[in-house]
Amino acid sequence: MQLEIEVKLRVKNKVSLVKKILALGAKPAGQKHIIDTYYSPAKGPSFVTNSSPKLRIRYDKLHNHTSLDFHLPRGLWGGQEMEVDVADVKMMKLIFQKLGFKIESIVDNQRTKYQWRQFNFDLDQVKGVGTFLEIEWMNPKSAQKAVVEIKKLMKQIGFTEKDLEKKRYWQMCLLK
């Protein structure tokens, strides 16, 4: 189980942002084409609220890798994630269907990753929604310190707290 502290920022100028990230000393860390399918039980509480848990099947088309992820949100800045690899995405989806889960949202995301010190930068192009930067720190010793450091980093690359995007990708895809 991992603790992640992260923010999401709407990107206005992708080329300028990449230059700023690289100027920090960040290094390219790969690309992914992620298809996230979010599920809720057919009966009982929906998982499509900010405070509810998230259950998703994540398929990375570029690397032909699938995982089942369970996310417990912890406010705007953090959450706990549990993840397990899935060998057969079609079978996993069939199991969810047979158990009575329903698809809530599908997110199609082209991701370019950068890494600098303890920070991960995910530059995301979400189909039908826009371009975003996620800055995250995985498993910090102090969540409060991580928030402070991420805020400093945001400012350093030209963002303010007004630029924070509070909606999750699955929410934005539901609203489009």
Side-chain angles (χ1 to χ4, degrees):
M1 191 173 347
Q2 297 187 62
L3 173 63
E4 69 175 23
I5 304 298
E6 73 176 1
V7 296
K8 183 188 304 79
L9 305 152
R10 191 171 284 274
V11 174
K12 295 175 183 144
N13 186 325
K14 184 177 176 178
V15 173
S16 173
L17 176 62
V18 170
K19 287 179 183 177
K20 289 176 184 177
I21 291 171
L22 293 174
L24 284 173
K27 302 292 182 206
Q31 295 186 328
K32 294 182 176 189
H33 182 181
I34 301 165
I35 308 295
D36 284 336
T37 306
Y38 287 84
Y39 291 87
S40 284
K43 296 178 183 173
S46 172
F47 288 172
V48 292
T49 67
N50 277 339
S51 60
S52 66
K54 304 296 170 284
L55 182 63
R56 73 177 174 219
I57 295 175
R58 170 166 281 181
Y59 176 59
D60 179 354
K61 290 176 76 169
L62 289 180
H63 301 98
N64 195 28
H65 177 262
T66 304
S67 63
L68 174 62
D69 303 340
F70 184 69
H71 181 90
L72 295 167
R74 284 185 159 178
L76 177 61
W77 291 83
Q80 284 187 313
E81 285 193 353
M82 293 167 260
E83 178 181 307
V84 64
D85 289 343
V86 173
D88 186 336
V89 67
K90 289 180 185 176
M91 185 58 69
M92 188 78 247
K93 288 181 176 183
L94 179 61
I95 289 169
F96 273 32
Q97 178 187 2
K98 297 293 184 186
L99 289 172
F101 283 83
K102 62 183 177 184
I103 295 174
E104 293 283 6
S105 181
I106 298 176
V107 178
D108 187 336
N109 180 7
Q110 299 274 351
R111 174 171 283 174
T112 303
K113 300 179 72 58
Y114 300 88
Q115 210 281 320
W116 180 67
R117 297 183 181 170
Q118 69 271 23
F119 300 103
N120 297 318
F121 298 91
D122 292 336
L123 187 56
D124 293 336
Q125 182 65 48
V126 181
K127 187 176 181 179
V129 177
T131 304
F132 302 87
L133 176 68
E134 290 186 357
I135 303 172
E136 74 178 4
W137 183 344
M138 298 298 292
N139 296 315
K141 291 181 182 170
S142 165
Q144 293 81 8
K145 180 182 178 190
V147 169
V148 168
E149 293 300 317
I150 288 173
K151 284 181 180 180
K152 285 182 193 175
L153 185 54
M154 285 170 46
K155 186 175 181 182
Q156 193 172 352
I157 59 175
F159 291 99
T160 70
E161 287 195 43
K162 290 181 183 177
D163 297 312
L164 289 172
E165 175 58 60
K166 295 180 175 117
K167 291 185 184 84
R168 309 288 186 203
Y169 294 145
W170 60 266
Q171 289 173 305
M172 291 183 241
C173 288
L174 277 175
L175 295 172
K176 68 175 181 158

